[in-house]
Amino acid sequence: MTASGGDLDMTKLLAARYRAASDRPYLASALYALTVVARREVPTMGVDRHWRCYVSPAFVDATPVEELAGVWVHEAAHLLRDHHGRADRLPAADQRDWHRVNVAQDCEINDDLLADGLRLPAGRVEPRLFGLPNGELFEAYLPRLPSHVREHDCGSGAHGRPVPWELTGSAGPSRLGEAEAQALRRHTAEAMRAHQRGRGTLPAGWQRWAEEVLEPTVDWRQALSGAVREAAAWAAGAIDYTYRRPSRRTPALGGVVLPSLRRPLPRVAVVVDTSGSMGDAELAAALGEVTGVLREVGVRGNRVTVLACDADVHAVSRVTSTEQVSLGGGGGTDMRVGIEAALAARDRPTIVVVLTDGFTPWPDEVPSCRLIAALIGPGAPQPPSWVETVRVAL
């Protein structure tokens, strides 16, 4: 721990941190990971993304220990919840309006702190001050905040934008790297879970955060897009020879015609489970994602076939949009029939995507293509290990 700038009442400041860590021991590791830097230019307290905590000596003098303890937790919460990382993923226009971003982040944090009985200084930000409900993430608060809001600056560890009173580069006291920060977040989430197992209570926001850290929710659209793109790239990498376009080296060989190399576009079959357990809305959403990705990678038109299948194949169609798809069926479930029909077609696919709730038998052997299963619904059973699997939460 380092202090610079003079006149900072370290005894009072550290007493407040000790109180915060004693009352909420699951936050102790995060609180003690913060390195103190005194700065007269800081309005109150703030953090950078390297877990350095900048403190105004005047603010410490004017604030009771109990309220300082609440501010310690507030600043640690910005870093634990990776507010700066999430702010970096906002649209550029929102990133530039970092004052509103900071206010939205304070709304996300302070409703939990107040519900947990922490005292915060006067003038604190709460969702109710803007007519907003408690318990939401800052990304949901941001578009509903007035355009003119300007509150305390919590530093780049919150809104992601460097501010003048922060240290630059590797200068000054020790800094926490991102790998260490991630480990600290997980350790804190595990401490929160242990606290709850010991019959302790947590505010809803902290519960949600801990669950997300320990059991992260994967964006199924991103995962499905990645699987289809990767399979398309794999299929397109299957280089073959063709005499349709002779090699450029042919004229130099005195009439000998050499074949040229080509990278074929993949053919894709989408087998859609239309058994009675599948809803049209879920199917349409997942099918829209698949066809959208295929269009992006240049696979469209007569290179995409959709097969509607329950225990039998009911419709086969070449499609350019989801509106052209006929989802007949509604009986039992056997996706092996659809996979076999796809592979038996004259234009054999190199990629087969199966949209299903998973309650189906699977082929006994690995097919001679890339097979991706998009499992729709939380209860979908796991297919064989050789099937590339994406879980779709709708």
Side-chain angles (χ1 to χ4, degrees):
M1 177 177 56
T2 302
S4 63
D7 300 327
L8 176 63
D9 188 343
M10 289 293 293
T11 301
K12 184 178 182 181
L13 182 65
L14 298 185
R17 178 161 67 176
Y18 176 79
R19 177 165 183 166
S22 299
D23 291 347
R24 291 158 184 82
Y26 46 83
L27 293 175
S29 295
L31 289 166
Y32 283 107
L34 289 165
T35 300
V36 176
V37 180
R39 277 286 195 265
R40 296 181 183 277
E41 303 88 349
V42 183
T44 55
M45 290 171 64
V47 288
D48 65 18
R49 60 178 68 217
H50 305 297
W51 289 68
R52 294 181 289 214
C53 184
Y54 301 86
V55 183
S56 162
F59 176 71
V60 173
D61 290 341
T63 307
V65 168
E66 187 176 9
E67 292 181 6
L68 280 176
V71 179
W72 269 111
V73 175
H74 176 97
E75 300 302 336
H78 279 302
L79 294 168
L80 284 171
R81 299 187 185 197
D82 192 25
H83 275 176
H84 58 276
R86 289 159 57 188
D88 289 344
R89 295 189 287 272
L90 292 172
D94 287 335
Q95 291 185 40
R96 288 192 292 269
D97 195 0
W98 53 267
H99 286 103
R100 289 177 68 246
V101 171
N102 205 152
V103 172
Q105 293 168 336
D106 287 352
C107 286
E108 178 188 312
I109 292 173
N110 286 347
D111 57 352
D112 286 323
L113 271 55
L114 294 169
D116 202 23
L118 278 161
R119 282 186 57 187
L120 295 172
R124 61 182 177 262
V125 168
E126 300 176 53
R128 66 178 182 84
L129 299 180
F130 306 102
L132 301 174
N134 288 339
E136 297 190 2
L137 298 177
F138 87 77
E139 292 90 343
Y141 287 131
L142 183 58
R144 292 181 281 172
L145 290 175
S147 59
H148 63 274
V149 293
R150 297 290 185 273
E151 300 297 336
H152 301 304
D153 184 352
C154 291
S156 65
H159 50 68
R161 303 297 288 260
V163 290
W165 39 263
E166 292 180 353
L167 298 172
T168 58
S170 59
S174 61
R175 36 188 271 169
L176 212 62
E178 187 52 36
E180 296 169 299
Q182 288 288 67
L184 184 55
R185 290 184 186 108
R186 184 167 185 86
H187 173 79
T188 302
E190 289 170 345
M192 288 181 176
R193 178 171 285 183
H195 175 75
Q196 288 185 289
R197 287 174 179 163
R199 298 181 181 250
T201 59
L202 285 174
W206 277 127
Q207 290 183 44
R208 177 184 60 206
W209 174 81
E211 290 170 0
E212 176 62 24
V213 169
L214 297 176
E215 300 174 13
T217 301
V218 177
D219 183 341
W220 68 267
R221 288 179 173 84
Q222 183 177 355
L224 181 56
S225 297
V228 174
R229 283 192 178 90
E230 198 274 336
W234 168 84
I239 297 174
D240 199 358
Y241 290 94
T242 178
Y243 284 93
R244 292 183 179 178
R245 185 183 61 200
S247 171
R248 287 177 295 175
R249 293 177 294 167
T250 293
L253 297 177
V256 177
V257 179
L258 295 178
S260 64
L261 292 172
R262 68 183 179 92
R263 289 181 179 271
L265 276 175
R267 292 191 179 275
V268 181
V270 183
V271 179
V272 183
D273 181 351
T274 57
S275 60
S277 59
M278 297 289 290
D280 288 344
E282 290 84 354
L283 288 173
L287 184 57
E289 293 298 323
V290 172
T291 53
V293 172
L294 293 174
R295 282 196 299 271
E296 288 179 25
V297 298
V299 180
R300 63 185 74 197
N302 64 1
R303 308 197 75 84
V304 181
T305 303
V306 176
L307 299 90
C309 176
D310 47 20
D312 198 2
V313 176
H314 292 274
V316 179
S317 52
R318 297 284 177 86
V319 301
T320 57
S321 68
T322 56
E323 290 77 12
Q324 297 173 324
V325 178
S326 173
L327 298 179
T333 308
D334 191 345
M335 293 299 100
R336 294 176 301 182
V337 176
I339 296 170
E340 291 169 3
L343 295 178
R346 179 179 176 182
D347 296 324
R348 184 183 179 90
T350 48
I351 304 168
V352 176
V353 181
V354 182
L355 304 179
T356 177
D357 60 6
F359 292 96
T360 175
W362 295 94
D364 295 327
E365 298 179 352
V366 181
S368 56
C369 68
R370 291 290 288 268
L371 180 60
I372 301 171
L375 301 180
I376 299 174
Q382 186 70 21
S385 58
W386 47 264
V387 179
E388 297 178 56
T389 304
V390 175
R391 292 194 173 270
V392 176
L394 295 173

